[in-house]
């Protein structure tokens, strides 16, 4: 008697949901990576912590 269990994905884990989740992860990684890169760019140009805060606020203001 062979006992084979077929792997079955949940209904919510369809192909479209997986693609949407992967796209959201990539988008968020890019957005947060750009914020970190802009902070290093400000510091590299001679700015201080206050300047980094101003750049972060300027990037966040349109979202509000």
């Amino acid at each position: 008697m062979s006992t084979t269990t077929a792997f079955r994905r949940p209904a919510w884990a369809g192909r479209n949901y997986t693609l949407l989740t992967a796209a959201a992860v990539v988008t968020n990684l890019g957005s947060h990576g750009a914020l970190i890169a802009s902070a290093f760019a400000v510091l590299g140009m001679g700015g201080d912590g206050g300047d980094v805060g101003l750049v972060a606020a300027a990037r966040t203001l349109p979202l509000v």
Side-chain angles (χ1 to χ4, degrees):
M1 181 172 164
S2 76
T3 56
T4 57
T5 57
F7 178 72
R8 188 162 188 203
R9 296 169 66 175
W12 56 265
R15 179 180 180 272
N16 289 338
Y17 180 79
T18 304
L19 290 174
L20 177 66
T21 303
V25 167
V26 170
T27 299
N28 285 327
L29 284 175
S31 296
H32 296 300
L35 182 59
I36 293 169
S38 64
F40 279 110
V42 169
L43 293 174
M45 293 178 64
D48 60 354
D51 295 332
V52 172
L54 288 174
V55 169
R59 288 179 53 94
T60 306
L61 187 63
L63 299 175
V64 175

